[in-house]
Amino acid sequence: MSRSYDYLFKLLLIGDSGVGKTCVLFRFSEDAFNATFISTIGIDFKIRTIEIDAKKIKLQIWDTAGQERFRTITTAYYRGAMGIMLVYDITNERSFQNINNWIKNIAEHASADVEKMILGNKCDMEDKRKVSKERGENLAVENGIKFMETSAKQSHNVEEAFFTLARDIKAKMDKKLQQEKTPDVVQPGKDHKHKKSKWFCNIL
Amino acid sequence: MAQNSLSNTSDKLPSHEVLKDVPDNLKELIADNGKNLKSIRCSTCKSLILNKDTASLVKRETFLPYPQQKKNQKAEEAEGETVNSFWHVQDMYTFENVGFCKTIGTVKFLMCADCEIGPVGVCDTRGPRDFFVSTDRIAHEN
């Protein structure tokens, strides 16, 4: 049977508990009188299909609900992960400071070339903000990671964040494939082209 | 009819077979090759679950909990119904958009990836290559 997609990326959401990580992926709508079966049992992962540059990409997205302490997350959890969303809550200073611990944990346990992105969530709660956007941006720059503020509640930037992460993984993969195909040592023209397309991605 | 059969799961993996006596309401939804003629979408939010021509109609006796439960109902004691006809796929990545809930017993139920209504289907961890979407709990529309 022929495959109906071009790429398959496994993504993880990590960050302290209570940062709304779960909402980035899951909605858990629950009213006061009824409970849904799904909210009772909890969600394991989701499959989503997106299209980038006319290529069909399957995303398998996992949440870390229930194992938020970074010490408990080790190699097994990261296995096969190609992208990681690091999520903090802009109304919670501690969750922001812990991003550094998460980054260390990833460096220790995840594959070295895993693509990362930092999300400052709950930007719909401006009145309770404790972490300025600038600090988020600076942390991202220090670590060479992309950054976005999101509001899972208002669905603001959430889809864009997943697209950006997927686009970066795809670019990295394409580059790798290209290098495998062309073992020549020096190819100035090609390198130049790659840099350009990456810059283009950054703007998007 | 409401019943409860999540807590007394059988030891055997339920079998499935090609649905031969296709009910009238499904006849117009099957192509000559036995696959779905129309896309399969969430009946609530219309999120695309499966593209057309990707799933086969099968018979499989399966207990599915109702989407809405009483408050504080334990998952194992969820009320539901037994349904028989499913769209069957053999690769998880055939799905366009779908969610998997945590495992109960040996079973993982499927949900809409967008509005999270469900279960819309099921897979059994003992038969990890088979995924079933209930014909009763989704919308057939392109």
Side-chain angles (χ1 to χ4, degrees):
Chain A
M1 209 175 79
S2 69
R3 255 184 1 173
S4 60
Y5 54 92
D6 301 294
Y7 297 85
L8 169 60
F9 300 156
K10 179 182 169 185
L11 308 181
L12 305 179
L13 286 162
I14 64 176
D16 287 6
S17 59
V19 298
K21 203 168 66 253
T22 296
C23 306
V24 172
L25 178 58
F26 306 142
R27 292 185 187 187
F28 279 118
S29 52
E30 211 179 333
D31 67 45
F33 302 102
N34 284 309
T36 67
F37 176 75
I38 300 298
S39 63
T40 307
I41 184 130
I43 303 171
D44 213 3
F45 66 92
K46 283 184 180 176
I47 290 170
R48 288 198 171 274
T49 307
I50 61 171
E51 212 175 281
I52 294 177
D53 303 333
K55 298 286 182 191
K56 216 169 179 190
I57 303 178
K58 298 273 175 183
L59 306 177
Q60 191 191 49
I61 310 168
W62 293 77
D63 188 11
T64 51
Q67 31 179 338
E68 279 89 356
R69 282 165 306 135
F70 49 86
R71 286 168 207 87
T72 65
I73 296 194
T74 54
T75 316
Y77 185 74
Y78 289 116
R79 191 161 293 140
M82 298 153 92
I84 297 176
M85 290 286 192
L86 288 143
V87 190
Y88 70 88
D89 171 358
I90 65 154
T91 70
N92 177 343
E93 174 73 34
R94 179 95 193 124
S95 74
F96 176 69
Q97 286 174 1
N98 261 336
I99 291 290
N100 271 321
N101 289 324
W102 284 111
I103 291 174
K104 272 184 221 152
N105 191 263
I106 292 167
E108 269 174 48
H109 298 292
S111 145
D113 62 352
V114 67
E115 202 62 48
K116 296 178 285 287
M117 186 160 178
I118 297 174
L119 300 185
N121 194 36
K122 302 194 186 175
C123 64
D124 51 298
M125 293 171 73
E126 198 53 54
D127 52 328
K128 291 187 178 151
R129 181 191 282 272
K130 297 268 162 49
V131 183
S132 71
K133 195 175 176 187
E134 285 70 30
R135 288 175 65 203
E137 283 164 348
N138 289 342
L139 178 68
V141 169
E142 279 164 27
N143 288 283
I145 303 176
K146 281 188 194 172
F147 170 75
M148 235 182 227
E149 283 200 344
T150 51
S151 163
K153 210 172 157 194
Q154 298 171 342
S155 296
H156 174 68
N157 266 351
V158 173
E159 204 173 309
E160 290 87 335
F162 280 106
F163 263 85
T164 303
L165 189 61
R167 193 181 284 276
D168 288 353
I169 298 170
K170 179 179 173 292
K172 190 179 259 180
M173 246 177 143
D174 291 347
K175 196 174 170 184
K176 237 184 192 169
L177 281 173
Q178 194 66 33
Q179 280 168 350
E180 280 164 15
K181 273 186 203 157
T182 53
D184 309 30
V185 183
V186 187
Q187 283 200 319
K190 266 216 161 77
D191 280 343
H192 181 65
K193 200 175 149 204
H194 275 303
K195 269 185 195 135
K196 219 173 169 184
S197 70
K198 188 137 197 217
W199 174 233
F200 183 60
C201 290
N202 281 337
I203 296 172
L204 277 183
Chain B
M1 203 184 81
Q3 54 168 279
N4 169 7
S5 67
L6 272 185
S7 49
N8 45 27
T9 46
S10 97
D11 296 339
K12 269 173 69 184
L13 177 65
S15 62
H16 63 271
E17 58 190 66
V18 176
L19 185 61
K20 291 196 184 87
D21 302 322
V22 180
D24 286 344
N25 63 329
L26 293 176
K27 272 182 183 147
E28 58 193 28
L29 299 168
I30 313 172
D32 292 339
N33 64 1
K35 297 277 172 82
N36 54 317
L37 259 181
K38 291 190 171 172
S39 299
I40 291 166
R41 292 180 179 274
C42 170
S43 50
T44 308
C45 75
K46 307 299 179 204
S47 169
L48 181 61
I49 299 171
L50 283 165
N51 277 323
K52 62 182 176 185
D53 199 30
T54 56
S56 308
L57 197 58
V58 298
K59 184 182 169 192
R60 184 190 197 263
E61 201 166 290
T62 306
F63 175 79
L64 287 185
Y66 295 127
Q68 296 294 328
Q69 299 287 332
K70 283 183 221 145
K71 193 139 178 82
N72 300 325
Q73 178 82 284
K74 282 185 192 153
E76 292 76 14
E77 292 162 13
E79 289 191 345
E81 62 192 338
T82 298
V83 293
N84 290 299
S85 62
F86 288 88
W87 292 109
H88 174 225
V89 298
Q90 293 185 288
D91 178 353
M92 186 196 288
Y93 301 107
T94 306
F95 286 103
E96 290 297 298
N97 300 287
V98 77
F100 287 74
C101 77
K102 296 202 189 309
T103 310
I104 315 181
T106 62
V107 163
K108 272 186 189 297
F109 291 104
L110 312 182
M111 76 195 81
C112 167
D114 279 296
C115 71
E116 292 170 2
I117 198 78
V120 297
V122 70
C123 69
D124 195 302
T125 53
R126 294 168 297 176
R129 298 261 173 261
D130 296 301
F131 305 87
F132 303 92
V133 177
S134 165
T135 57
D136 295 340
R137 295 205 177 178
I138 48 87
H140 299 90
E141 53 185 79
N142 288 329

